[in-house]
């Protein structure tokens, strides 16, 4: 069974703290994604990676960075957390085939981050 | 530019009655379309996807969707709602040959009345 795991389900941090969100997939997928989900806005792409050590900005990369040192692991970093980064963060992965944009993305359970 | 609009933020139906969740898209290219479901406190799960084969797509749990190019729609239907269908549903569009980015609708919350 395919599996994407995220390090925490709930996280509470203070303004200005550095925050690490970890995501691991066991499907040998090339592509990995970080989204944030806010009510009424759907999912918005923060960053994605299509290979180890490769990263691409999504729609809302400001205030975030990512790291992909190993194929199975994709980390999202909030360099200095702010209250407007309070959100649900979702990680996803997909395989890379010829029709890359049609590949199914598999999601983790999400991390609900609260920044006080 | 590509976009996707889910026409209803909430849909409420009685158990055993049909479900219709509406989705319209805008795409300059040949689109691929998806429906995802998110149950409370659970991750997103793919319900079904359209990638240029048959225009009527069958998914899991009795759901299906029909791609109508002339109407730029991809509405999700189910003949008979079950209590376990209560969840939030997302319509998603991308285009074939593009990068890996998906364009997400804002979501429709499906409420099932007993």
């Amino acid at each position: 069974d395919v599996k994407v795991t995220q390090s925490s389900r709930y996280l509470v941090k203070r303004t200005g703290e550095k925050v690490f969100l970890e995501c691991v997939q066991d499907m040998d997928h090339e592509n990995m994604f970080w989204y944030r989900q806010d009510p009424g806005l759907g999912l918005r792409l923060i960053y994605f990676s299509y290979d180890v050590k490769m990263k691409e900005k999504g729609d809302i990369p400001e205030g975030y960075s990512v790291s992909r040192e190993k194929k199975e692991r994709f980390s999202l970093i909030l360099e200095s957390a702010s209250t407007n980064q309070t959100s649900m963060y979702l990680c996803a992965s997909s395989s890379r085939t010829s029709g890359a944009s049609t590949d199914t993305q598999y999601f983790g359970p999400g991390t609900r981050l609260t920044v006080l | 530019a590509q976009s996707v609009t889910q026409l209803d933020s909430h849909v409420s139906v009685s158990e055993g009655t049909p479900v219709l969740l509406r989705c319209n898209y805008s795409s300059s290219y040949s689109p691929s379309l998806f429906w995802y479901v998110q149950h409370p406190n659970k991750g997103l799960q793919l319900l079904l996807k359209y990638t240029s084969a048959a225009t009527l797509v069958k998914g899991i749990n009795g759901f299906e969707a029909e791609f109508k190019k002339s109407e730029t729609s991809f509405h999700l239907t189910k003949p008979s709602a079950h209590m376990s269908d209560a969840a939030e549903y997302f319509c998603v569009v991308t285009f074939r040959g593009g990068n890996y980015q998906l364009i997400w609708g804002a979501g429709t919350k499906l409420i099932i009345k007993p």
Side-chain angles (χ1 to χ4, degrees), chain B:
Chain B
Q2 296 184 103
S3 65
V4 59
T5 303
Q6 292 183 243
L7 293 122
D8 306 291
S9 60
H10 294 78
V11 168
S12 181
V13 302
S14 297
E15 191 175 20
T17 64
V19 174
L20 169 65
L21 304 184
R22 298 181 294 165
C23 173
N24 285 101
Y25 70 91
S26 170
S27 175
S28 304
Y29 306 90
S30 297
S32 292
L33 295 149
F34 307 75
W35 276 98
Y36 277 84
V37 61
Q38 187 176 34
H39 287 93
N41 299 316
K42 291 194 176 176
L44 282 152
Q45 181 184 21
L46 180 70
L47 262 184
L48 48 81
K49 68 178 180 181
Y50 165 78
T51 58
S52 85
T55 56
L56 183 63
V57 182
K58 293 190 185 299
I60 61 172
N61 301 334
F63 284 93
E64 61 183 37
E66 187 171 8
F67 172 67
K68 291 187 176 180
K69 188 175 181 179
S70 60
E71 298 176 11
T72 61
S73 69
F74 190 58
H75 300 334
L76 183 70
T77 60
K78 183 174 180 177
S80 176
H82 191 272
M83 294 301 291
S84 61
D85 295 327
E88 190 158 20
Y89 293 79
F90 294 92
C91 183
V92 185
V93 67
T94 186
F95 62 93
R96 289 187 292 281
N99 63 19
Y100 308 96
Q101 294 199 41
L102 306 178
I103 311 298
W104 291 75
T108 298
K109 197 156 285 187
L110 178 61
I111 299 159
I112 312 294
K113 297 178 289 188

Side-chain angles (χ1 to χ4, degrees), chain A residues 3-96:
Chain A
K3 202 161 185 186
V4 179
T5 56
Q6 295 182 230
S7 49
S8 307
R9 290 301 303 273
Y10 300 93
L11 209 53
V12 179
K13 295 291 182 181
R14 298 213 172 269
T15 303
E17 280 191 81
K18 191 168 186 176
V19 181
F20 293 87
L21 302 182
E22 301 283 335
C23 175
V24 177
Q25 50 95 3
D26 66 359
M27 295 164 283
D28 202 34
H29 284 168
E30 293 83 2
N31 308 322
M32 296 188 75
F33 308 82
W34 274 107
Y35 294 90
R36 62 177 283 176
Q37 182 180 15
D38 299 288
L41 297 178
L43 271 70
R44 292 179 292 167
L45 183 65
I46 303 171
Y47 269 97
F48 65 101
S49 167
Y50 51 86
D51 206 346
V52 175
K53 296 192 185 295
M54 304 299 289
K55 61 184 179 184
E56 294 281 346
K57 292 180 179 179
D59 299 319
I60 51 166
E62 296 78 20
Y64 304 94
S65 61
V66 290
S67 172
R68 190 152 181 216
E69 296 297 318
K70 294 184 177 181
K71 189 177 185 180
E72 68 272 16
R73 188 180 296 269
F74 192 35
S75 303
L76 180 70
I77 304 148
L78 286 66
E79 296 290 341
S80 177
S82 63
T83 55
N84 63 13
Q85 292 178 309
T86 292
S87 186
M88 171 71 87
Y89 289 88
L90 293 167
C91 175
S93 71
S94 69
S95 65
R96 190 195 310 148

Side-chain angles (χ1 to χ4, degrees), chain A residues 92-104:
Chain A
S93 71
S94 69
S95 65
R96 190 195 310 148
T97 63
S98 59
S101 62
T102 66
D103 294 333
T104 300

